[in-house]
Amino acid sequence: MSDFDLIEKHNKHLEFIKQLRLIDDIFMEKVFGEDIACTQLLIQIILGKKDLKVTKINKQLPLSNLHGRSVRLDVFAVDTNDTLYNIEVQRGDSGAVSKRARYNSSMLDANITESGDDYSALKETYVIFITENDVLKGGLPIYHVERAILETGKLFNDKAHIIYVNSQIQNNTELGRLMHDFYCTDARQMYYPTLAQRVKYLKEDYEGVNTMCEAVREFFKDELAAGEALSRAKGRAEGREEGRAESLINNVLNAYRKGWQIVDIADFLGISEEQVKKILCNNRNTSGSSNKSSDRSSSVSRMSGFSKEDLEKK
């Protein structure tokens, strides 16, 4: 790649970073997954607990069950009472279904206890979904999901909480102003100084911008490498074309699964919006292959539940 191409690619990264918001998964992880103050503010507002103190945070934390199935938590946090928090941003409704919340909650429990531990060792947990749409369709800014005894109406009080935050309601409340900030591309338009300072650092500070450029590059790194490896292995023009095509498909699907808008995917990859939509439609029912050599690519391409209507919304 020539110096000119490198500069052009870097400028494209910079322009892309300028458009990122907290509701975008890749940016949300950098803001909340690497800054305790931001995460603490987020949880304080959602729970309505001004005195809550966060002591530990982690991003993309991998958790596994006994059968080897795993999940990566967008943001994981612990407070001074040893309460655990999993915070997820979901731009697609399919990623915020009730069973996904149940699964994340169960994975927290399974990974914080050791064999032989008493059940009293289970910690209080919160799974928090911040959704682009009103997934639960109640027209409310926030939904608290708790187990209850149907016959008495009393709470089961198992200390496992699930919360859905509807980011569409951006009224003049603490939570509404927080959701407003989730859609700002410019730190100067944000209400909360703690968040604005972090956003400004990642978008305007030299070191912060480099951090974001690296995050964008890493986002596509594995998929690009897979396509290039396939092309080299085939060693002929057909193989190279197939490798590039498969790499492109994987990049589109991966970005869509992360919640990127179709226009952003097209701009970043240098293709038309129609090409993006065509790739998504053609791979709507992509599933795993029995061919071992394509397992990795298939796993990246696996999509679940997006429809033509979903694509029109994007």
Side-chain angles (χ1 to χ4, degrees), residues 256 262 277-278 280-281 284 306-314:
Y256 189 84
I262 283 177
K277 290 181 180 179
K278 184 176 180 180
L280 292 174
C281 285
R284 191 180 310 165
F306 69 86
S307 62
K308 183 178 180 181
E309 288 73 21
D310 292 327
L311 297 184
E312 293 300 323
K313 291 178 183 178
K314 291 280 188 177

Side-chain angles (χ1 to χ4, degrees), residues 78 100 128 134 143 158 228 243 303 312:
V78 183
R100 168 71 185 277
I128 300 171
D134 185 9
Y143 304 87
D158 60 354
E228 291 168 2
M303 302 292 288
E312 293 300 323

